[in-house]
Amino acid sequence: HVQLVESGGGSVQAGGSLSLSCEMSGYTYTSKPCMGWFRQSPGKEREGVAGIYSEGSAPDYADSVKGRFTISQDNAKNTVFLQMDSLKPEDTAMYYCAAFGTVRSYLCGSWSRYRDWGQGTQVTVS
């Protein structure tokens, strides 16, 4: 089955930057994957942050992170990255990597379609 392992995260002051990585293994989808990042803070619902297709389509971003976060990927390594700049205290959350298979690249921003999840990594902005 698909496994997603996040790394990175940690604590940073407001205005700073952090980078997250997620490596996918055990890929079993019959089509190319969307890989994405989500976050959840205590008392709030999980929020889709960014999604990217494995074949060169433009990424999708939540409005709350546009212009500050950048999602990218290394297809050869089945790894997706999230570069987070100009961080704000409200970005504090547990960040999760997720994925699903699809032939439609435009679905990577359809957050409810993600079905496989990593265990998460904490990001704290003070």
Side-chain angles (χ1 to χ4, degrees):
H1 66 283
V2 174
Q3 289 188 315
L4 298 162
V5 179
E6 301 98 338
S7 60
S11 298
V12 66
Q13 290 188 338
S17 298
L18 283 173
S19 181
L20 306 180
S21 299
C22 172
E23 182 174 358
M24 179 171 63
S25 61
Y27 181 86
T28 58
Y29 306 136
T30 57
S31 52
K32 299 292 185 181
C34 283
M35 294 186 72
W37 289 96
F38 291 72
R39 65 186 182 186
Q40 189 170 22
S41 53
K44 294 187 177 181
E45 293 189 355
R46 187 171 57 199
E47 172 189 22
V49 173
I52 191 168
Y53 196 56
S54 63
E55 289 192 339
S57 298
D60 291 282
Y61 294 98
D63 288 344
S64 57
V65 305
K66 281 181 180 177
R68 300 188 299 120
F69 289 13
T70 304
I71 188 171
S72 60
Q73 61 189 350
D74 182 340
N75 287 333
K77 297 181 179 179
N78 288 330
T79 300
V80 66
F81 307 95
L82 186 68
Q83 177 65 36
M84 304 182 291
D85 299 316
S86 302
L87 282 161
K88 305 174 181 180
E90 51 263 44
D91 294 317
T92 295
M94 185 70 78
Y95 281 71
Y96 298 91
C97 179
F100 72 100
T102 182
V103 297
R104 297 177 176 85
S105 61
Y106 59 85
L107 291 179
C108 292
S110 297
W111 311 121
S112 62
R113 293 181 180 268
Y114 286 81
R115 71 173 202 187
D116 293 297
W117 298 86
Q119 293 193 334
T121 184
Q122 178 68 36
V123 170
T124 302
V125 185
S126 58

